[in-house]
């Protein structure tokens, strides 16, 4: 509307200017005509200027509207950017929460597994026994078994074999894995006790059989069987400078086959001893 009015005023002002010029050019006299033509020119100029001002105002308002629209658009874009940044931050925080929960669950599962294993070991028992010499006389000794573990030993079977005497028995049959000897020679040279239960740091002494201290090697095989595994020790004792020195090899019995675990050999025994 303002634009149409501005155009109309500009056209009207131009017409008045033209009429005023024509009148002034045609009639220099009388004086009143010159005055009239001057007034017409002034009025035409006024209408032209007023119309131009309206047009400039209309253009300025449009420009302001365009600038305002652009500003609003930029504000909306900035707002969307802020929203996206907040959303990304929330997603990152949620991911961190999920990762923390995963770590807590992993730690919980690990603790539950350790607890279950400890409960199982307490029910089944371990065979982590320390084999000790218990001196009974100046020339005799027997064996003491000490539970050095923090877990109990339940329903264990322990067998002691005196290899110094057993190796003297006649061999009836020998294979790659077994040696058969006469039972009446073997029987007096082994001790077996079953159903042994030991609390942590508990001990038991096999006092039903004593063995003699020898100048030469004293050679024994001891088997400790529990519900979850069977351990075999090959032990050799010797008195050196008045002190009892021991070498041993430790095996795990799996499917009737010995699997080497460890050794301690201060007597420097050969591998085939």
């Amino acid at each position: 509307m303002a634009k149409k009015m501005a155009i109309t005023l500009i056209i009207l002002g131009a017409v008045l200017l033209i009429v005023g010029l024509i009148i002034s050019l045609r009639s220099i006299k009388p004086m009143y005509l010159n005055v009239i033509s001057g007034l017409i020119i002034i009025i035409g100029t006024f209408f032209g200027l007023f119309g131009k001002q309206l047009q400039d105002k209309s253009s300025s308002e449009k420009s302001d509207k365009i600038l305002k629209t652009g500003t609003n658009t930029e504000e909306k874009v900035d707002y969307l950017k802020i929203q996206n940044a907040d959303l990304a931050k929330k997603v990152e925080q949620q991911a961190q929460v999920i990762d923390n929960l995963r770590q807590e669950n992993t730690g919980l599962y690990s603790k539950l597994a350790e607890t279950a294993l400890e409960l199982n070991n307490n029910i089944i028992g371990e065979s982590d026994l320390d084999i000790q010499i218990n001196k009974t006389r100046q020339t005799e000794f027997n064996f003491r078994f000490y539970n050095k573990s923090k877990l109990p030993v339940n329903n264990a079977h322990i067998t002691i074999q005196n290899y110094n005497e057993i190796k003297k028995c006649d061999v009836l049959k020998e294979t790659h894995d077994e040696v058969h000897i006469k039972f009446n020679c073997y029987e007096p040279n082994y001790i077996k006790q079953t159903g042994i239960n030991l609390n942590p740091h508990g001990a038991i002494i096999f006092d039903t059989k004593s063995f003699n201290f020898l100048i030469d090697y004293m050679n024994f095989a001891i088997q400790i069987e529990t519900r979850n595994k069977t351990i075999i020790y090959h032990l050799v004792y010797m008195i050196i400078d008045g002190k009892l020195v021991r070498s041993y090899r430790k095996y795990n019995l799996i499917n009737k086959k010995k699997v080497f675990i460890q050794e301690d050999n201060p007597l420097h025994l050969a591998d085939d001893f």
Side-chain angles (χ1 to χ4, degrees), residues 14-28 33-34 37 40-41:
V15 171
L16 290 174
L17 283 172
I18 292 170
V19 171
L21 288 172
I22 292 172
I23 294 172
S24 67
L25 290 172
R26 284 186 175 183
S27 56
I28 304 303
L33 291 176
N34 291 332
S37 63
I40 292 172
I41 292 171

Side-chain angles (χ1 to χ4, degrees), residues 138-157:
Q138 190 66 28
T139 58
E140 293 182 355
F141 66 94
N142 53 30
F143 285 97
R144 179 177 185 265
F145 296 90
Y146 170 69
N147 181 15
K148 61 183 180 181
S149 172
K150 295 185 292 183
L151 299 172
V153 173
N154 297 325
N155 196 30
H157 309 318

Side-chain angles (χ1 to χ4, degrees), residues 108-176:
L108 178 61
Y109 294 150
S110 178
K111 290 179 181 178
L112 288 174
E114 291 175 359
T115 302
L117 179 61
E118 185 171 354
L119 288 172
N120 182 65
N121 287 336
N122 274 280
I123 293 171
I124 296 176
E126 289 289 306
S127 58
D128 190 11
L129 298 179
D130 189 24
I131 302 172
Q132 301 173 346
I133 291 293
N134 182 53
K135 186 176 180 181
T136 57
R137 295 182 182 178
Q138 190 66 28
T139 58
E140 293 182 355
F141 66 94
N142 53 30
F143 285 97
R144 179 177 185 265
F145 296 90
Y146 170 69
N147 181 15
K148 61 183 180 181
S149 172
K150 295 185 292 183
L151 299 172
V153 173
N154 297 325
N155 196 30
H157 309 318
I158 299 178
T159 303
I160 302 173
Q161 301 174 84
N162 184 357
Y163 268 21
N164 284 77
E165 299 299 325
I166 291 175
K167 68 182 181 181
K168 298 176 183 178
C169 297
D170 294 332
V171 177
L172 300 176
K173 181 181 177 181
E174 184 175 358
T175 65
H176 179 71

Side-chain angles (χ1 to χ4, degrees), residues 155-219:
N155 196 30
H157 309 318
I158 299 178
T159 303
I160 302 173
Q161 301 174 84
N162 184 357
Y163 268 21
N164 284 77
E165 299 299 325
I166 291 175
K167 68 182 181 181
K168 298 176 183 178
C169 297
D170 294 332
V171 177
L172 300 176
K173 181 181 177 181
E174 184 175 358
T175 65
H176 179 71
D177 298 321
E178 297 179 339
V179 176
H180 296 265
I181 60 176
K182 290 182 179 182
F183 182 73
N184 59 0
C185 181
Y186 175 76
E187 184 180 18
N189 295 303
Y190 88 101
I191 310 168
K192 184 172 184 179
Q193 190 165 335
T194 61
I196 299 171
N197 298 310
L198 291 176
N199 292 325
H201 309 296
I204 184 173
I205 296 175
F206 276 40
D207 55 3
T208 57
K209 175 75 174 178
S210 294
F211 303 94
N212 294 324
F213 286 111
L214 304 176
I215 298 176
D216 201 357
Y217 293 108
M218 293 166 280
N219 195 353

Side-chain angles (χ1 to χ4, degrees), residues 228-247:
N228 60 337
K229 61 183 175 181
T230 299
I231 300 296
I232 296 176
Y233 291 89
H234 288 179
L235 303 107
V236 177
Y237 296 90
M238 190 174 187
I239 299 174
I240 300 176
D241 296 331
K243 295 181 180 180
L244 189 65
V245 182
R246 181 184 73 173
S247 288

